[in-house]
Amino acid sequence: MRLGFASLASKPHTSFKWYLWILSPVTVLSMLITQVYGKAFVVERNVFKNLKLQTWAISKYKTQYLMERQRQTINDLIEEAILEAEAKGVKILTLGLLNQGEKLNNCGELFIIRNPKLKLKLADGSSLAVALVLNSIPRDTTHIALKGSFNKIASYLAIALCQKGIQVVVSQEKDYEMIKSKFKSVDDQDKLVFSGIYSQKTWLVGEGLSKEEQMKASKGTLIIPYCQFPPKKVRKDCFYYTTPSMLTPKYLENVDSCENWLPRRVMSAWRIAGILHGLEGWNVNECGNEVFDIEKVWEASIRHGFSPIMKSFA
């Protein structure tokens, strides 16, 4: 964030400086204070064509999101922010990163259930994330492995790939059965395979991809994350793509900071999706187990000047 450290905020989080450890006591103190007084706050204001955009942050750290006892508090903060946005006339609110976890609030569906009269629409951006991953896969690919923790994006990726005639290999039986139950065509089901083989040259990975699994990959394997957090790079002889993201058009104004580990002016698919919903006037929720029209959101992103980032950082 650019709050107090504008020069650091203009660089990806991967450029972390050793001397920032000196600020650890401040971090601990802020965690204690936000336990009592925490709420969402604005960290950036942007303009995109005729849209006015704001980025709000929840006053919690990643370690707190991993604590089960914090879930209710975090959901209350998110819901408070949603209701505040509703009162201010916000049309679209995008839930980014940890704020839309399936275990936390089922990709935002919890807030729709709690507030059925909401005029504001929630978008978790899954459709654009799926579209970006699909368009990052080399055209001559015939076999793909799905690795790491599964979520709804993985399910839609598997279905879309099988419909394209690409064989999808799943190594966990429960994930295999879950995806198979969603197929409507027997022919598509035949493209889904349950196997522990690691010979596929293209991997689509979620969170929790272990070092042990990566060590089993063939030399030159392309690892494409469909999750919001990138896998830890273990292999020097494999190629790692960035998380689903796009380069923003030059007419997106007031972009002063980087989004986590991404380069400046590169934005995650989950965040871009909210902008597209606003630009196109899509008056629908995209949350829970559903995704928006994948082809439609992809076409809109290109038409509005966003450029795919298919960058390898091997």
Side-chain angles (χ1 to χ4, degrees):
M1 297 179 185
R2 61 179 176 176
L3 302 175
F5 295 95
S7 61
L8 290 175
S10 67
K11 301 174 184 177
H13 184 60
T14 50
S15 61
F16 186 82
K17 304 297 182 182
W18 65 267
Y19 52 77
L20 290 179
W21 286 113
I22 300 172
L23 297 175
S24 295
V26 178
T27 301
V28 174
L29 180 61
S30 70
M31 289 179 70
L32 296 174
I33 293 174
T34 54
Q35 284 281 86
V36 181
Y37 301 105
K39 63 174 297 182
F41 58 95
V42 178
V43 295
E44 191 169 271
R45 293 177 172 85
N46 308 105
V47 177
F48 190 103
K49 295 183 177 179
N50 62 332
L51 290 184
K52 293 182 179 180
L53 315 172
Q54 289 186 358
T55 301
W56 294 12
I58 298 295
S59 52
K60 294 290 181 181
Y61 290 86
K62 182 180 178 180
T63 53
Q64 292 171 294
Y65 279 87
L66 300 177
M67 301 176 186
E68 188 172 349
R69 66 177 183 273
Q70 285 283 328
R71 287 180 185 174
Q72 182 61 49
T73 302
I74 292 172
N75 277 330
D76 289 344
L77 285 172
I78 297 171
E79 185 171 20
E80 182 183 334
I82 291 172
L83 295 177
E84 182 180 347
E86 169 93 339
K88 290 182 177 181
V90 172
K91 302 297 183 184
I92 297 289
L93 192 145
T94 303
L95 296 173
L97 295 179
L98 293 170
N99 292 315
Q100 54 158 291
E102 291 188 9
K103 291 182 179 179
L104 182 66
N105 50 48
N106 195 28
C107 303
E109 186 178 37
L110 173 67
F111 308 117
I112 302 298
I113 295 173
R114 284 184 180 179
N115 304 278
K117 295 184 180 180
L118 270 181
K119 295 180 181 178
L120 172 152
K121 299 301 180 183
L122 292 180
D124 69 4
S126 296
S127 56
L128 185 57
V130 171
L132 275 166
V133 173
L134 289 175
N135 284 277
S136 298
I137 298 170
R139 294 185 181 276
D140 59 349
T141 301
T142 57
H143 297 74
I144 282 178
L146 282 178
K147 302 291 183 181
S149 300
F150 267 49
N151 56 22
K152 75 171 185 177
I153 293 178
S155 299
Y156 280 93
L157 281 171
I159 293 170
L161 290 167
C162 289
Q163 289 175 344
K164 290 174 180 265
I166 298 175
Q167 186 182 78
V168 177
V169 179
V170 181
S171 56
Q172 296 294 326
E173 187 173 5
K174 61 181 177 62
D175 297 327
Y176 169 78
E177 294 295 341
M178 182 269 291
I179 297 173
K180 188 175 180 181
S181 67
K182 296 187 177 183
F183 281 104
K184 297 179 181 179
S185 168
V186 176
D187 293 336
D188 293 338
Q189 284 185 9
D190 293 339
K191 289 296 181 180
L192 185 69
V193 177
F194 169 51
S195 173
I197 297 174
Y198 288 80
S199 59
Q200 300 79 21
K201 300 295 286 187
T202 302
W203 287 17
L204 306 185
V205 303
E207 291 180 29
L209 180 67
S210 67
K211 177 181 178 180
E212 291 71 25
E213 275 198 298
Q214 292 190 53
M215 294 307 296
K216 294 178 182 178
S218 303
K219 181 179 179 181
T221 296
L222 175 60
I223 299 176
I224 306 174
Y226 57 78
C227 51
Q228 297 170 328
F229 291 85
K232 185 176 181 180
K233 179 183 171 183
V234 174
R235 298 280 298 273
K236 292 184 178 180
D237 57 353
C238 292
F239 301 93
Y240 293 74
Y241 275 17
T242 60
T243 50
S245 53
M246 304 182 86
L247 179 66
T248 59
K250 292 182 179 179
Y251 43 81
L252 175 62
E253 301 176 19
N254 304 326
V255 181
D256 298 313
S257 57
C258 288
E259 186 177 342
N260 302 306
W261 48 84
L262 297 173
R264 197 171 183 184
R265 298 198 67 87
V266 173
M267 192 176 286
S268 69
W270 296 270
R271 194 173 170 193
I272 294 171
I275 298 175
L276 296 176
H277 276 253
L279 289 169
E280 294 292 314
W282 295 327
N283 193 35
V284 295
N285 290 308
E286 182 184 7
C287 53
N289 297 320
E290 301 299 323
V291 301
F292 189 64
D293 189 308
I294 296 171
E295 292 296 331
K296 196 172 183 179
V297 74
W298 173 252
E299 185 277 329
S301 69
I302 302 301
R303 177 161 40 84
H304 286 291
F306 291 94
S307 303
I309 298 294
M310 294 182 286
K311 178 183 176 184
S312 170
F313 52 95

